[in-house]
Amino acid sequence: MNLDDKVCQGHLASVDDALYVIGGKWKLRIIAGLRDKGTLRFNELQRIVKGISARVLSNELKEMELNGLVQRMPYTETPMVVEYTLTPYSETLGEVLTALSKWGAQHKDKIRKEVHAK
Amino acid sequence: MNLDDKVCQGHLASVDDALYVIGGKWKLRIIAGLRDKGTLRFNELQRIVKGISARVLSNELKEMELNGLVQRMPYTETPMVVEYTLTPYSETLGEVLTALSKWGAQHKDKIRKEVHAK
């Protein structure tokens, strides 16, 4: 394996490492939702991340908590209220989200123009 | 809805638009693989994107072709050989991949340090 191949494999492995933690259908959408709204109760978060079930949202949040991205804040109230917020560490994802959002906007634009051109 | 909310919803919607096209478990890994290797045959691609089945890889490639990201190049040979390569348009994803790769590397580093500290 030459040096170029090693660098490439490192790059690919790092993308894999990132997707292992924030890949899948929901996690980046949950993060984008919390980023926009700040702190949210479970139900509010479920409403914003359209289409997610309570069970899946709960699992996703647990994984994201373990990875230091989301903070769970339970209050001793009746009925118990749990709020979720992003950790300061989650801000390291800013560049990823900005890049995704920019790409999403330009891709939509491209598709729109192609449809118009037909 | 105030202006801030509208801007936020636009941002969230654009992330959603992007994830609609390149989200899920495999697409970005396929793109990262093709980016590193250039042109690949179906079987080579399957070997690089570890864990993907032939059926799923085939579906993913079709969707990515429709979105103008991947180009399919069949040759009239026996047995038929099909190669896949990225389109010039896929280069618009460079920033997304760079951001993901950087984040993946730094997150792995963070986890490693935490494990060491224990």
Side-chain angles (χ1 to χ4, degrees), chain A residues 102-117:
Chain A
K102 267 173 65 182
W103 191 84
Q106 77 80 21
H107 186 69
K108 196 175 191 174
D109 228 48
K110 172 180 172 273
I111 299 288
R112 205 177 272 149
K113 275 176 196 152
E114 284 172 1
V115 170
H116 263 279

Side-chain angles (χ1 to χ4, degrees), chain A residues 27-40 44-45 48-50 84-86 90-91 94 97-98 101, chain B residues 1-16:
Chain A
K27 291 201 182 69
L28 280 171
R29 294 167 71 180
I30 293 168
I31 291 170
L34 285 172
R35 241 172 112 86
D36 283 344
K37 301 294 182 184
T39 299
L40 287 174
E44 294 170 327
L45 190 52
I48 283 175
V49 183
K50 289 189 182 78
Y84 293 88
T85 194
L86 292 176
S90 76
E91 279 161 34
L97 283 166
T98 304
S101 160
Chain B
M1 194 189 287
N2 63 30
L3 187 62
D4 263 12
D5 267 2
K6 273 192 193 159
V7 172
C8 282
Q9 292 228 337
H11 183 80
L12 193 55
S14 293
V15 171
D16 264 7

